[in-house]
Amino acid sequence: MNRFFVSFAAIASSGIFAYSYWREWISYKLLGEELVLQPVEKAEVPYFHASEELYLRVLMSFGLLFSLILIVSIYFTYRQKWGWVFGCFVLSMLSILAVMINGALK
């Protein structure tokens, strides 16, 4: 069961984040939805809300990162390389930490 939970956690954690970042990016670029950016003068707003271009660049970079982790996690799960799957899970958690730190930067 441990292998199942580690592979599920690696795939689900990276997959959820990849979906959310790509959904936001695609909805703006292809579907024409408006971005809701906060004014930078507010103390709680991250730096990348300063411009649409910067916001979309941040979305695409994290979307690519989580998509890559998702694909690699699925590949190693299929090949039953459980050590690498656990490594992908750890990399996914570190990437989530990077997202949190990136959002906390002012």
Side-chain angles (χ1 to χ4, degrees), residues 21-61:
Y21 280 106
W22 281 119
R23 188 206 171 282
E24 180 86 15
W25 191 83
I26 289 172
S27 67
Y28 175 75
K29 284 291 194 179
L30 300 178
L31 302 177
E33 290 184 18
E34 288 188 30
L35 290 178
V36 180
L37 299 177
Q38 301 289 327
V40 181
E41 293 83 29
K42 294 175 106 177
E44 304 87 30
V45 177
Y47 72 96
F48 51 84
H49 280 257
S51 72
E52 288 184 5
E53 180 182 330
L54 184 59
Y55 183 75
L56 291 173
R57 189 176 302 149
V58 168
L59 284 178
M60 190 167 79
S61 2

Side-chain angles (χ1 to χ4, degrees), residues 89-103:
F89 171 71
V90 170
L91 187 60
S92 177
M93 291 298 113
L94 290 174
S95 300
I96 292 171
L97 177 64
V99 166
M100 292 168 47
I101 290 172
N102 184 47

Side-chain angles (χ1 to χ4, degrees), residues 3-4 6-7 76-78 80-87:
R3 294 176 183 160
F4 170 75
V6 170
S7 62
F76 284 131
T77 299
Y78 176 74
Q80 296 182 354
K81 304 282 186 181
W82 305 116
W84 286 99
V85 172
F86 183 73

